[in-house]
């Protein structure tokens, strides 16, 4: 059975644009491929801890303390969720020109040598090839064109991290100008929904 991993990262559970879009995407993916298994990870409501001196060895080192073992167990779980997924959809608001720290922490726990990437003579190699990722961003301003493009540290950063673990089939759908007023917000959501529908229309073959 194909598995869809659904990752939320907005700290807002009220009128979050990225949460609205990811719900829409999951609904459309399920309509296209009703048999898929959906696994959810909500980093906004259940954050992955930041790396500190108390837990670092659990992720990058040899765990010894209870806290380090707990970090290792969480890292193993998050990696297994990603490894098991055929398709991943990530809702990523732009926070301070990049991603929420909750999503950054998720990557800190998921990027582990020997598990999701390895080093060889040829340099780093991602070990999670073959997966498809759809990233739904929500942004107060405009970054896909114009002067704001130079300040987009979100899409390039996510592309690089995903590519580092071998995932290069990545589609970005941006809902931009959310902060420009209700009309701009509604137009951005409608546009993103249209793009989600196009991705979903190909999903039945992806999930087969
Ligand atoms: C902490 C924080 C930082 C933000 N930083 C930016 C930013 O750098 N650029 C931007 O265009 N919008 C920024 N925004 C606006 C959000 O990207 C926008 O409100 C988006 O809709 C949030 O996603 P959500 O609706 O799914 O929560 C920020 C919002 C918050 C809460």
């Amino acid at each position: 059975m194909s598995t869809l991993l659904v990752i939320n990262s907005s700290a807002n559970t009220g009128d979050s644009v990225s949460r609205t879009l990811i719900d829409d995407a999951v609904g459309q993916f399920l309509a296209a491929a009703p048999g898929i298994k959906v696994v959810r990870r909500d980093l906004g409501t259940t954050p992955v801890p930041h790396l500190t001196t108390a837990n670092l060895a659990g992720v990058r080192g040899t765990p010894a303390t209870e806290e380090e073992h707990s970090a290792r167990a969480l890292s193993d779980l998050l990696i297994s969720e990603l490894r098991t997924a055929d398709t991943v959809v990530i809702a990523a608001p732009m926070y301070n020109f990049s991603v929420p720290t909750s999503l950054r922490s998720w990557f800190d726990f998921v990027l582990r040598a020997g598990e999701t990437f390895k080093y060889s003579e040829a340099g780093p190699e991602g070990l999670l090839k073959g997966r498809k990722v759809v990233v739904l961003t929500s942004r107060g301003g405009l970054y896909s064109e114009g002067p704001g493009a130079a300040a987009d540290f979100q899409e390039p950063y996510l592309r690089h991290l995903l590519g580092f673990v071998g995932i290069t089939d990545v589609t970005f759908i941006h809902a931009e100008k959310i902060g420009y007023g209700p009309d701009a917000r509604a137009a951005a959501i409608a546009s993103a929904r249209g793009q989600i529908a196009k991705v979903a229309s190909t999903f039945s073959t992806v999930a087969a």
Side-chain angles (χ1 to χ4, degrees):
M1 180 195 297
S2 293
T3 300
L4 174 68
L5 175 60
V6 179
I7 301 177
N8 268 295
S9 64
S10 175
N12 179 6
T13 54
D15 60 351
S16 158
V17 172
S18 63
R19 286 178 184 276
T20 300
L21 292 177
I22 205 167
D23 287 348
D24 192 51
V26 173
Q28 292 198 40
F29 290 168
L30 276 170
I36 54 169
K37 180 181 175 192
V38 177
V39 175
R40 293 179 186 273
R41 174 62 54 183
D42 195 326
L43 304 169
T45 59
T46 313
V48 172
H50 287 136
L51 290 179
T52 66
T53 48
N55 64 13
L56 177 65
V59 179
R60 301 259 178 149
T62 306
T65 68
E66 196 177 321
E67 201 162 342
E68 289 163 357
H69 279 293
S70 158
R72 172 59 59 95
L74 178 58
S75 174
D76 286 346
L77 172 64
L78 297 175
I79 289 171
S80 129
E81 286 176 354
L82 185 55
R83 199 179 273 133
T84 309
D86 308 279
T87 305
V88 184
V89 58
I90 302 174
M94 178 181 274
Y95 282 1
N96 295 312
F97 308 102
S98 183
V99 297
T101 53
S102 58
L103 186 53
R104 165 61 202 261
S105 287
W106 180 82
F107 279 106
D108 284 345
F109 273 68
V110 159
L111 268 60
R112 253 173 62 196
E115 297 289 340
T116 54
F117 69 93
K118 68 176 183 185
Y119 288 113
S120 68
E121 291 290 310
E125 181 189 346
L127 300 177
L128 297 180
K129 298 181 186 83
R131 284 156 190 79
K132 180 181 176 61
V133 173
V134 180
V135 183
L136 306 168
T137 78
S138 47
R139 303 158 153 197
L142 177 65
Y143 302 88
S144 60
E145 58 182 274
D152 181 1
F153 300 101
Q154 184 189 38
E155 177 174 338
Y157 180 59
L158 287 170
R159 273 196 193 281
H160 186 79
L161 287 171
L162 293 166
F164 191 74
V165 295
I167 303 174
T168 53
D169 184 351
V170 184
T171 303
F172 276 82
I173 296 176
H174 299 294
E176 302 192 285
K177 302 206 281 188
I178 296 303
Y180 285 32
D183 290 349
R185 178 189 170 99
I189 292 172
S191 165
R193 281 195 161 132
Q195 293 173 67
I196 290 168
K198 280 190 193 149
V199 172
S201 68
T202 64
F203 192 68
S204 55
T205 51
V206 170

